[in-house]
Amino acid sequence: MARFTRRARIGAGIALATTAVLALTSCASATDAPASSSEGVDAAAATSVEDFGTFADLEAAAKEEGSLNVIALPRDWANYGEILDLFTEKYPEITINEASPDVSSAEEIQAAETNKGLDTAPDVFDLGLTVALQNTDTFAPYKVQTWDEIPDELKEPTGLFVGDYGGYMSIGYDSSKFDAPSELADLLSADYKGAVAINGDPTQAGAAFAAVGLATVQSDGTLDDFQPGIDFFSDMQKAGNLLKVDVTTATIASGETPVVFDWDYLNASHTADNEDWKVVVLDGTGYAGYYNQAINVDAPNPAAARLWQEFLYSDEVQNLWLKGGARPVRMEAMTEAGTIDADLAAALPEAPEETVVPTEEQSTNAGTLLGEKWAAAVQ
């Protein structure tokens, strides 16, 4: 039981490292979206279930809308496939429209802007922290019923965006072709020629951004300056080891991307397609992060968007994140309440003793630096 408790507290440790991140975000924007309920409730203005009356009233309003538009939710990402299917099973009256599963966090926001006013606009977002911080005027505030069980450090105070699931930046590799890297510098050796990929563009994608963050702190740098991480990947490019291929389940299954920087829960999922695929979280300083949920302020289905949030933060779905190898944001509260899946929690990989997460200022500064220097560093 002691081992389980230690691992269960890892999620809280990530949360406590982010104390300053959410304190200064902006207030919510107003919206002119129409009311969606026949009972006269303005779903687009609702900030909690109480604004609908009861949870059953929220469900009724969402069923009346009949649709939910999601974007950037790959089915093999943190168990999203099972989560989406469960929502459909639970609410067959609501059709989930899954758009562009492989786009970046930044492209989610672009899609909302492009489709503003159309019934094809995304209702909800799943975003890395940097993009969330940059786009608070795009979100509608909402506090789910389990709001009090979400650490303050992982939620914007008015509910504009809220952490949901997270993990540690890791290196996945095909063990039939490569030895496990024991330190970051190993990946610069000729043994990894043309083999190392990151999941996306760090100026747009949260996982790729975190890969540079990990390289920074593993290179004796700090999150105040991502330059050491940029320099590391520049050296990798010069060595001919950086593989500029967008990572997917297919590229890993085919062997096209045999070594990958990605979140530990995403890397771990690839063992289903490649039995030789293994995952390592490097010793030393670890880099952790959470993905955030948010509601589009111009959501065409505002009640369904809010029902989706309630669904994601329920005990059932928080355990489904855990089944996908991610650490759910309510993990500590659920552990104390006895509602966590103890076997799944005990199966999580060991985490670094020291973990860092960038603050709002560090994320903003790193994003600016990457925008200025990344392309030239890896060209």
Side-chain angles (χ1 to χ4, degrees):
M1 186 63 180
R3 188 180 185 195
F4 164 67
T5 301
R6 177 179 179 277
R7 286 178 168 175
R9 297 282 175 172
I10 289 172
I14 296 175
L16 292 173
T18 65
T19 303
V21 173
L22 303 179
L24 301 177
T25 52
S26 64
C27 295
S29 299
T31 178
D32 296 324
S36 67
S37 171
S38 59
E39 298 299 320
V41 175
D42 184 357
T47 59
S48 69
V49 163
E50 286 72 21
D51 289 330
F52 291 90
T54 66
F55 183 68
D57 293 327
L58 168 58
E59 291 178 310
K63 291 174 183 178
E64 184 178 331
E65 290 173 348
S67 294
L68 173 69
N69 300 339
V70 301
I71 187 171
L73 305 185
R75 287 182 155 264
D76 57 356
W77 177 290
N79 205 25
Y80 253 125
E82 187 170 354
I83 290 168
L84 289 162
D85 290 343
L86 178 62
F87 186 86
T88 296
E89 178 184 338
K90 192 175 184 69
Y91 300 109
E93 306 89 346
I94 302 173
T95 299
I96 300 182
N97 304 304
E98 300 177 46
S100 306
D102 296 318
V103 300
S104 68
S105 294
E107 288 170 320
E108 293 183 58
I109 302 300
Q110 293 168 10
E113 293 172 351
T114 300
N115 293 280
K116 183 176 181 178
L118 303 177
D119 60 8
T120 53
D123 289 308
V124 290
F125 304 109
D126 179 297
L127 304 160
L129 179 59
T130 301
V131 173
L133 288 167
Q134 293 169 347
N135 293 279
T136 53
D137 59 348
T138 308
F139 311 143
Y142 187 79
K143 296 183 179 181
V144 294
Q145 294 177 95
T146 52
W147 175 264
D148 291 341
E149 296 183 1
I150 301 168
D152 290 342
E153 298 81 9
L154 288 173
K155 58 190 179 188
E156 193 280 330
T158 68
L160 287 174
F161 62 90
V162 187
D164 194 7
Y165 61 92
Y168 294 87
M169 185 49 47
S170 67
I171 300 167
Y173 65 99
D174 188 330
S175 64
S176 70
K177 300 176 182 178
F178 302 94
D179 292 329
S182 59
E183 60 181 3
L184 194 69
D186 290 347
L187 298 177
L188 298 178
S189 74
D191 293 340
Y192 293 90
K193 196 80 169 180
V196 185
I198 60 176
N199 192 354
D201 180 337
T203 67
Q204 298 187 43
F209 179 95
V212 182
L214 175 66
T216 294
V217 297
Q218 287 277 325
S219 300
D220 297 322
T222 72
L223 297 184
D224 291 323
D225 182 5
F226 268 40
Q227 189 62 53
I230 296 173
D231 291 342
F232 170 78
F233 283 105
S234 179
D235 291 343
M236 181 180 287
Q237 168 67 13
K238 293 172 184 175
N241 293 9
L242 185 61
L243 188 58
K244 296 179 181 178
V245 175
D246 289 337
V247 177
T248 66
T249 298
T251 65
I252 289 175
S254 69
E256 188 178 2
T257 53
V259 182
V260 174
F261 279 86
D262 210 343
W263 297 112
D264 56 352
Y265 52 90
L266 299 183
N267 263 329
S269 70
H270 298 306
T271 57
D273 301 291
N274 182 347
E275 62 182 11
D276 296 315
W277 191 259
K278 296 188 182 301
V279 184
V280 60
V281 176
L282 295 174
D283 291 336
T285 304
Y287 185 106
Y290 274 80
Y291 277 84
N292 299 272
Q293 304 294 340
I295 296 171
N296 184 357
V297 70
D298 297 306
N301 303 291
R306 286 154 176 79
L307 181 61
W308 174 249
Q309 302 302 301
E310 295 286 356
F311 174 73
L312 293 180
Y313 290 92
S314 67
D315 286 355
E316 188 171 20
V317 177
Q318 292 282 292
N319 275 319
L320 288 182
W321 295 128
L322 194 59
K323 185 177 179 180
R327 292 163 173 82
V329 76
R330 292 180 52 234
M331 188 167 183
E332 184 169 18
M334 289 174 62
T335 300
E336 293 176 356
T339 56
I340 201 76
D341 187 314
D343 291 337
L344 293 175
L348 289 174
E350 293 289 348
E353 290 297 327
E354 180 181 357
T355 297
V356 295
V357 179
T359 64
E360 177 183 359
E361 181 179 4
Q362 289 171 331
S363 292
T364 300
N365 291 342
T368 300
L369 184 67
L370 284 164
E372 294 171 349
K373 297 191 174 183
W374 176 256
V378 299
Q379 66 181 6

